[in-house]
Amino acid sequence: MTTHHPSELTLTAFAAGTLSEGASHVVAAHVVGCPHCREVTAMAEATGGALLDDMPPTEMAADALELALARIDRPAPHGTSAGLVFGRRRWLAPGVWITPGKIAARGREQLYRLDVPQGRRLPRHSHEGREFVAVLQGCFVDESGLYAVGDFGEADASDDHQPTVQGDTPCVCLIWTEGPLHMRDPIGRLLQPWLGI
Ligand SMILES: [Zn+2]
């Protein structure tokens, strides 16, 4: 049972294709398996299309073709993480692995897959900007609830959390962060240079 979904704002941006490539991959990983969010996305797309249809025709700008071609290079909003290419897996701690996703990063954003063994508690942290998390396997719990396979976690700069892996399998997540993490405890601060996140 999926209980955590992307916010309406995030789904609308996803449908409009305005999320960054990294953020889109994480939203797509959730939407592909969530009938509710597929419906919301389809509705947002239909609404966007209808709005465009209703707009009075205007003279095209001289650079319209160039702009349109540049847009084609942007990630497709419906791209699922199946099309995502990963780099080399790096060891972080016993049983903890980070695998970067290859994206054309905007600013300091990062996309990675994180494997964490059962029972492991991650360092308490907050974020510069937003964090999207799609649970691909296992589950974790933090201050905002329990996140199982298919769930989507959305945090912003005001959130401060400490995820702990629950259940009897490792937890695998696809994570996008808009900016660096800020570790809230001494162990986390010591580890940060190695984490690179
Ligand atoms: Zn959903």
Side-chain angles (χ1 to χ4, degrees), residues 19-38:
L19 289 180
S20 71
E21 184 189 352
S24 290
H25 276 301
V26 183
V27 177
H30 169 84
V31 169
V32 76
C34 179
H36 167 74
C37 288
R38 278 207 306 274

Side-chain angles (χ1 to χ4, degrees), residues 33-192:
C34 179
H36 167 74
C37 288
R38 278 207 306 274
E39 201 173 304
V40 174
T41 306
M43 251 159 57
E45 279 176 339
T47 312
L51 285 175
L52 285 177
D53 284 346
D54 285 347
M55 277 207 263
T58 51
E59 216 168 297
M60 281 176 92
D63 58 354
L65 178 64
E66 241 168 274
L67 282 174
L69 289 175
R71 274 196 194 147
I72 292 171
D73 286 337
R74 289 201 335 207
H78 282 305
T80 67
S81 49
L84 177 59
V85 177
F86 286 97
R88 214 156 60 91
R89 192 168 86 139
R90 279 196 299 132
W91 183 88
L92 287 185
V96 185
W97 295 88
I98 185 169
T99 315
K102 293 190 171 171
I103 51 164
R106 275 190 203 166
R108 300 180 73 187
E109 69 173 349
Q110 293 205 54
L111 176 71
Y112 52 90
R113 178 192 144 123
L114 191 66
D115 291 52
V116 184
Q118 45 271 57
R120 178 62 58 95
R121 185 183 292 266
L122 295 176
R124 173 169 293 282
H125 64 273
S126 61
H127 328 90
E128 239 172 73
R130 292 167 295 166
E131 178 189 69
F132 292 173
V133 176
V135 184
L136 308 178
Q137 183 195 304
C139 61
F140 74 86
V141 66
D142 74 4
E143 288 77 352
S144 61
L146 178 78
Y147 293 79
V149 175
D151 275 329
F152 185 91
E154 188 167 344
D156 64 27
S158 66
D159 293 304
D160 182 314
H161 66 160
Q162 181 165 33
T164 303
V165 173
Q166 299 254 298
D168 46 19
T169 55
C171 184
V172 180
C173 291
L174 186 65
I175 302 174
W176 169 77
T177 52
E178 198 165 22
L181 304 189
H182 291 295
M183 299 302 175
R184 293 294 180 207
D185 51 32
I187 298 280
R189 280 196 286 273
L190 276 173
L191 281 173
Q192 189 151 32

